[in-house]
């Protein structure tokens, strides 16, 4: 399908599944986006949750310009440092995953449970980012794929009694072993790199579309407030199982110069999913567009319990 925009250009939107993921063609991201293109891409990312762009040989500066078209940018990460020349850019190498998560070669039956790398970006802060933008810098010929899951559909798939149960609940998100490496150190910008703990609604309302979103982060949601530990863990297991159902997913095979834009308010992802068996060079660079305090169906707004809000660079 093609999506016509007001300046007589046409973005080619090719859905990859009926529920999530679309490739976007007929656009050169090295060029400044028009207001009409930004509007069209925003509409598309809210509809398809994650957009894939092929053959976009961007520089760091061009990636930053693309991101700023959707809003102010954050630092690279609340804990990890960004590039010295560009503190908004977080670089990840395949070897980093093995160095920080060697335990994931062996699934653990003890908390924190092994959810195979599924997560929503940066929910241990009270104001996680709105969008994530990931660019391939050094991409191998095979391996290193990323999975994405539709959290709005995950909520819709629950039974009505479960929806009624979880709508008013709140959950604590905190930095875990994966996120907290280096936590407590002072960054180059003078901010403390954690620890971070935040209280979020278990279901959030999407600020643009009004949809209810299952707001459970397999990587950092520690417990549901007000429940006994077995009750909390049992409900979280049910919800994570819903988030990771294959019919809500799209799998992206990276190619050189690919770029991915996803709605972090409505998407969980996992990748590179095969890094425990992966020895090829793989380098990606991510930037994040600033978000707001999530709001639940009852109007509750997320609150920081420990650590600062996610800063904005501009």
């Amino acid at each position: 399908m093609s999506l016509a925009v007001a300046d007589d250009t046409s973005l080619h939107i090719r859905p990859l599944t009926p529920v999530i993921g679309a490739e976007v063609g007929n656009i050169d991201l090295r060029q400044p986006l028009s207001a009409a293109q930004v509007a069209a891409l925003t509409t598309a990312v809210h509809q398809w949750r994650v957009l894939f762009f092929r053959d976009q040989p961007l520089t760091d500066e061009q990636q930053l310009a693309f991101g700023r078209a959707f809003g102010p940018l954050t630092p690279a990460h609340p804990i990890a440092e960004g590039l010295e020349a560009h503190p908004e850019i977080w670089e990840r190498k395949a070897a980093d995953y093995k160095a920080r998560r060697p335990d994931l070669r062996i699934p653990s039956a003890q908390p924190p449970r092994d959810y195979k790398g599924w997560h929503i970006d940066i929910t241990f802060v009270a104001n996680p980012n709105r969008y994530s933008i990931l660019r391939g810098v050094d991409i191998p010929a095979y391996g290193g794929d990323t999975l994405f899951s539709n959290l709005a559909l995950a909520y819709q798939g629950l039974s009505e009694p479960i929806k009624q149960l979880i709508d008013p609940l709140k959950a604590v998100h905190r930095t875990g072993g994966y996120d907290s490496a280096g936590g407590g150190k002072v960054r180059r910008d003078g901010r403390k790199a954690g620890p971070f703990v935040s209280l979020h609604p278990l279901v959030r309302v999407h600020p643009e579309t009004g949809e209810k979103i299952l707001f459970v982060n397999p990587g950092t949601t520690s417990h549901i407030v007000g429940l006994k530990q077995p009750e909390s863990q049992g409900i979280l297991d049910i919800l994570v199982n819903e988030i990771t159902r294959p019919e809500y997913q799209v799998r992206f095979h990276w190619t050189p110069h690919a770029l991915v834009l996803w709605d972090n308010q409505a998407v969980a992802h996992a990748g590179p999913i095969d890094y425990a068996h992966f020895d090829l060079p793989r380098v990606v660079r991510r930037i994040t567009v600033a978000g707001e305090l999530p709001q639940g169906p009852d109007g509750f707004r997320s609150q920081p319990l420990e650590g600062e809000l996610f800063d904005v660079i501009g």
Side-chain angles (χ1 to χ4, degrees), residues 71-91:
L73 301 182
T74 69
H77 196 281
I79 296 172
E81 297 278 17
L83 300 181
E84 189 163 4
H86 298 292
E88 307 94 334
I89 296 177
W90 192 35
E91 181 176 272

Side-chain angles (χ1 to χ4, degrees), residues 92 97 101 103-105 107 112-121 145-149 178-179 216-220 240 243-244 262 267-275:
R92 297 306 307 272
Y97 292 87
R101 295 294 293 274
D103 57 302
L104 286 194
R105 288 178 178 272
R113 301 193 179 191
D114 178 11
Y115 289 128
K116 306 300 182 187
W118 280 100
H119 65 285
I120 308 167
D121 280 343
D145 291 2
T146 304
L147 299 176
F148 298 87
S149 181
Y178 175 67
D179 304 291
V216 173
N217 189 343
T220 62
V240 171
I243 288 169
T244 57
W262 70 88
V267 168
H269 67 283
I273 58 175
D274 52 1
Y275 73 87

Side-chain angles (χ1 to χ4, degrees), residues 54-75:
R54 303 279 188 184
D55 302 317
Q56 302 288 338
L58 304 184
T59 64
D60 290 340
E61 292 78 9
Q62 288 166 337
Q63 182 179 6
L64 292 171
F66 174 74
R68 290 192 182 102
F70 298 93
L73 301 182
T74 69

Side-chain angles (χ1 to χ4, degrees), residues 5-21:
V5 295
D7 59 357
D8 295 328
T9 64
S10 183
L11 299 179
H12 299 315
I13 309 291
R14 184 173 72 87
L16 299 181
T17 82
V19 298
I20 183 172

Side-chain angles (χ1 to χ4, degrees), residues 157-261:
L158 297 170
S159 66
E160 286 303 318
I162 295 295
K163 291 178 183 177
Q164 293 174 23
L165 172 67
I166 67 174
D167 273 2
L169 296 178
K170 283 78 180 173
V172 171
H173 296 223
R174 62 177 67 246
T175 47
Y178 175 67
D179 304 291
S180 59
K185 296 192 304 184
V186 176
R187 300 153 48 99
R188 288 192 298 266
D189 58 12
R191 300 175 70 88
K192 189 176 179 181
F196 294 92
V197 185
S198 294
L199 182 65
H200 290 299
L202 196 60
V203 176
R204 71 175 296 183
V205 177
H206 195 288
E208 283 81 30
T209 69
E211 300 164 287
K212 289 184 178 180
I213 306 291
L214 190 54
F215 193 38
V216 173
N217 189 343
T220 62
T221 303
S222 63
H223 65 282
I224 300 171
V225 174
L227 302 186
K228 296 177 180 179
Q229 193 280 331
E231 297 169 339
S232 171
Q233 191 60 63
I235 292 174
L236 289 177
D237 285 344
I238 290 171
L239 300 181
V240 171
N241 180 70
E242 197 71 21
I243 288 169
T244 57
R245 284 173 57 174
E247 60 265 43
Y248 301 155
Q249 297 176 24
V250 65
R251 177 170 180 159
F252 183 62
H253 174 65
W254 287 87
T255 51
H257 305 304
L259 181 140
V260 183
L261 163 67

